[in-house]
Amino acid sequence: MADDASSGEEPLLVSDDHGAWDDVELAADAAASTTVQQLIAQDPDHVIQYIAKRGVVKLGEFKVQDALVLAALDGNPFVTMGRSKREIDYERDWAAHLAAAARRQGKGDTGWSRQVTVEAFVVNIKDAAAPDVQGLVNPLLHRYNAGGCHYSVFGLPAVQAVLQFKWDTFAGKWVRFEFACFLTWLVAFSAFMLIFQDEDISLSLPELLATPSGIATVACEAVSLAAMVPFVVIELGSLSAYLGGWMTLWNALDVITYALQVAIVVLHLGRMSLASGWLSVLVAFQCVLLWFRLNYFSRVFGGSNSFSIIESMQRVVVDIRMYLLYLLLMMWGFACAFCVLFRRDQEHEQFNNVGHAMLTMFTYALGGVDLDIMLGSSNPEASLVLSLLYQFAMGTVLMSLLTGVMAQSMYKATAHEDLKRLLSRAQAVDELESTIPAFIERLMPSNYPAYVHVLRIDPLAMDGEVGGDALWHQQAAASGQAGVPLGAERAHSGGGGDGTGVQALLREVAGLRAQVQSLTDLLHTAVPSLPSSPVGSAMR
C-alpha cells in the first residue's frame, strides 16, 4: 500500500478544512456533470484536479431552525441524501429530509433554537456513489494502493460527501455488525483459552464431551468459527477485487488469525499433538493477534484524538529502520566480544554461545549490566571495562537517542489522523461493496443514487467560539478593570477608551521586548561570539 507520500504526478491536495467547501462553483455556472469512468477516459491526467475543483457545486442557501439541522448532523460536519437529479428544489427537499431525521432521532434539547443559514451542495459527478469501479471510492483506492495519489484525496469535499452518504446509508450498520461479530469471536476464544488451561489432554474427544468443561470448550470453538465466517467472506471478496494490491499489513494479520483459528480447532478436536505443546503455542499467538486486531475498528470508529496503533507502529519502524539496524549491529558486536571473553567460563549460560549473548545484550540494554557475572569471570578487568562501555554507549546514549527519534517519528506517523480515518472508512466501505453480490446491489437502489446532495451550516452563521482567556480579557475591558467602574462605560466611551487600549497594547509590547532581551542576554552569556541583538540595540 502507498505510504504517506505520493508517488504519482497528481499534486497533494489536502482539503480537510472548511475552505474547500467555500471555494466551490455555483451550480448555475458549473459544467454538466460526468461519471467517473467518463472522466477517466476523457482526461486521465487531471482526474483529481477535477474532483478537487469541480467535484462539488453549490446549489444555494436558505434558512432553517438550527434544532433540526443539529439533530440531523449528529456531530458530523454535514448531512447527505441521495437523489436521481442534480437540480432539485433543495429548500423543500432538505426541509422534508431534516424533519424526517428529527422524527427518527427524537427531539433533542438544544437550549434554544434560532434560524441559521445552511448551504446546499451536490456532488457534480454522476453515479459517484455507485459500487465498485463504477463509483468514485473504488478507483481512488486502486490508485492509492498503486502509489498514484496521496491519502489526502479522501479529504476532498466530493469524496467526503460520498463516504459520509455510504456510511450513513448502509456501511456504518454493517461495520457495527462486524464489530459485534468480532467481539463475539474474541469473548468465545478467550473463554476457550481459560477453560483449556485445566483440560486433561489424555482424554479422547468422546471422553472430553462427557465432561462439562469439554462441552464448554467445544461450544466456544464452534461460536468462534461461526463469528469468524463473515470476516472470511469479506476477505475473499476483497481478494477477488484487488488481487495484487490486496496484500497489506491488516490483510496479512487477518489471514494469520483465520489460519490459526482453524488450526486450533483441528488440533483440539482431532486430539493431535496435544502433548507436544504446539496447541498451547498456537493459542497463545492467537490470543495476542486477536487483541491486536481489535485496534482495526478504532481506525473507523475512533474520535479525533485516537489513532491506529498497529499502523502507527508500522510507520515508525519503517521510518527509523536504519537506526534500528545500527543498534542491532552494535549489540551483535558486543555479543561476540562477550562471547569471546567468557570462552573459559561456560558455566555462565548468558555467554556460552553467540545466541545467548545476543539475548543478554537485549536484556542489558533495557535493564542494566549484571556486574556480579562480570566480576566472577576469568577476565574480570576486561569484562568490567567492556560492560561499562556497553552500558554507556547503549544504555545511556543510543537508547536515549532512540527514544527521541521514535518520538519524532511517532509525531509524524499520527499527523493528519482525520484524513487517515477517512481512508480507513473508504477501505471498509469498498470491502463491503466488493463482497455484496451485484444482484443484491440492484435490489437496493436507494444505496446507490445518481447524485449525492450535501447540506451544511454556514460557518459564519454559527456562534463564535469563546475561549477562556479571551472571555476574561473581554470581561475585564467591559467592566473597566483599569480604574473604570462597572456601569461607567458610557462616560468613557469616547477617545479615552481607545487611548486606554493603545496604552495596554504598548505595555504588552514593552513586556515582550524585555523578555526577548533577557533571553538574548542569557544566550550571549553562554555563547559570547553571537552577534548583538537588534532588539537590544533598539532598546538601548
Side-chain angles (χ1 to χ4, degrees):
M1 181 176 289
D3 201 357
D4 294 352
S6 173
S7 59
E9 297 179 355
E10 306 287 357
L12 304 185
L13 302 170
V14 181
S15 301
D16 56 340
D17 54 2
H18 293 293
W21 291 91
D22 296 330
D23 296 336
V24 302
E25 297 179 335
L26 295 175
D29 303 328
S33 62
T34 180
T35 66
V36 177
Q37 294 303 316
Q38 289 173 348
L39 179 60
I40 295 174
Q42 294 170 3
D43 193 5
D45 295 331
H46 302 91
V47 173
I48 294 181
Q49 285 89 336
Y50 182 93
I51 297 172
K53 297 178 181 179
R54 300 175 184 172
V56 171
V57 295
K58 186 175 181 178
L59 298 178
E61 301 177 353
F62 62 98
K63 289 186 176 293
V64 69
Q65 287 291 325
D66 64 352
L68 291 175
V69 185
L70 294 175
L73 286 172
D74 194 24
N76 295 313
F78 48 78
V79 192
T80 60
M81 69 176 181
R83 287 293 183 268
S84 59
K85 298 180 180 179
R86 189 183 80 159
E87 302 291 341
I88 62 172
D89 186 349
Y90 56 86
E91 187 169 356
R92 184 194 65 186
D93 286 11
W94 275 115
H97 185 85
L98 294 176
R103 286 194 299 270
R104 287 194 305 269
Q105 299 184 11
K107 186 176 180 181
D109 184 11
T110 59
W112 67 86
S113 182
R114 65 186 182 91
Q115 291 277 331
V116 293
T117 301
V118 292
E119 300 173 319
F121 302 88
V122 62
V123 177
N124 196 35
I125 301 174
K126 188 177 181 181
D127 295 326
D132 305 324
V133 296
Q134 290 80 23
L136 180 61
V137 176
N138 183 273
L140 285 178
L141 278 175
H142 277 281
R143 184 70 174 167
Y144 170 78
N145 290 336
C149 68
H150 193 257
Y151 62 79
S152 58
V153 299
F154 296 94
L156 297 176
V159 186
Q160 280 195 66
V162 172
L163 287 176
Q164 187 67 43
F165 174 79
K166 288 176 176 288
W167 187 261
D168 293 338
T169 305
F170 68 94
K173 302 181 182 67
W174 276 103
V175 174
R176 292 183 185 94
F177 172 74
E178 286 184 54
F179 186 50
C181 290
F182 182 78
L183 287 180
T184 303
W185 181 7
L186 182 62
V187 171
F189 182 81
S190 299
F192 162 79
M193 179 184 62
L194 295 176
I195 300 172
F196 173 72
Q197 289 294 101
D198 299 324
E199 182 178 295
D200 185 359
I201 61 175
S202 64
L203 298 177
S204 64
L205 182 59
E207 293 173 339
L208 180 66
L209 292 175
T211 63
S213 61
I215 296 174
T217 54
V218 174
C220 289
E221 287 178 310
V223 172
S224 298
L225 285 177
M228 186 184 73
V229 169
F231 297 96
V232 176
V233 174
I234 293 174
E235 204 69 54
L236 292 175
S238 178
L239 176 61
S240 63
Y242 283 91
L243 296 179
W246 169 83
M247 181 53 68
T248 64
L249 176 65
W250 281 111
N251 289 336
L253 180 62
D254 293 345
V255 171
I256 293 174
T257 54
Y258 306 148
L260 285 177
Q261 185 64 55
V262 173
I264 289 169
V265 172
V266 170
L267 290 177
H268 183 251
L269 297 183
R271 316 306 289 169
M272 296 182 296
S273 303
L274 296 183
S276 65
W278 275 107
L279 181 58
S280 299
V281 173
L282 296 182
V283 170
F285 275 98
Q286 179 75 336
C287 179
V288 173
L289 290 178
L290 284 179
W291 282 103
F292 261 112
R293 191 176 168 182
L294 183 63
N295 184 249
Y296 169 87
F297 295 95
S298 71
R299 304 186 308 160
V300 179
F301 294 124
S304 58
N305 294 324
S306 66
F307 60 93
S308 174
I309 297 175
I310 295 180
E311 290 184 344
S312 299
M313 288 172 57
Q314 179 191 16
R315 297 190 191 103
V316 169
V317 171
V318 171
D319 193 29
I320 65 172
R321 59 187 182 278
M322 298 308 298
Y323 190 87
L324 292 176
L325 177 61
Y326 177 74
L327 286 181
L328 290 175
L329 293 176
M330 287 287 293
M331 289 182 181
W332 176 259
F334 275 98
C336 294
F338 277 109
C339 193
V340 171
L341 282 178
F342 281 78
R343 184 167 58 89
R344 291 185 294 174
D345 303 297
Q346 293 298 304
E347 68 274 9
H348 295 293
E349 296 183 354
Q350 296 91 336
F351 302 105
N352 60 4
N353 59 60
V354 177
H356 287 176
M358 189 66 178
L359 293 176
T360 305
M361 292 301 98
F362 274 105
T363 305
Y364 284 177
L366 298 176
V369 176
D370 188 352
L371 294 180
D372 291 337
I373 296 178
M374 303 300 163
L375 294 174
S377 67
S378 58
N379 295 302
E381 296 83 3
S383 299
L384 188 62
V385 171
L386 190 62
S387 64
L388 293 178
L389 179 62
Y390 178 80
Q391 184 64 36
F392 175 77
M394 185 64 63
T396 305
V397 179
L398 294 179
M399 295 302 291
S400 299
L401 289 176
L402 178 62
T403 302
V405 171
M406 291 186 68
Q408 182 182 13
S409 180
M410 192 64 178
Y411 175 79
K412 294 189 296 181
T414 56
H416 307 301
E417 279 298 315
D418 290 339
L419 289 174
K420 294 171 185 174
R421 190 169 298 108
L422 288 173
L423 169 62
S424 299
R425 281 199 173 187
Q427 292 169 337
V429 168
D430 195 60
E431 283 181 356
L432 287 172
E433 290 183 334
S434 63
T435 305
I436 300 174
F439 73 92
I440 295 181
E441 292 174 345
R442 288 192 292 269
L443 297 176
M444 300 183 294
S446 60
N447 291 348
Y448 310 105
Y451 292 96
V452 175
H453 288 260
V454 186
L455 186 76
R456 72 159 189 166
I457 299 178
D458 183 358
L460 299 178
M462 294 298 292
D463 292 333
E465 296 182 0
V466 182
D469 292 339
L471 181 62
W472 286 104
H473 285 307
Q474 293 170 8
Q475 186 65 34
S479 60
Q481 187 170 344
V484 182
L486 183 63
E489 298 90 351
R490 295 185 181 180
H492 297 270
S493 60
D498 295 337
T500 302
V502 172
Q503 292 298 324
L505 180 60
L506 291 176
R507 286 195 297 270
E508 291 286 344
V509 172
L512 290 174
R513 291 170 68 93
Q515 294 178 20
V516 171
Q517 181 58 35
S518 299
L519 292 175
T520 304
D521 293 340
L522 289 174
L523 288 174
H524 273 282
T525 302
V527 186
S529 61
L530 285 176
S532 59
S533 169
V535 176
S537 301
M539 293 182 66
R540 296 187 186 94

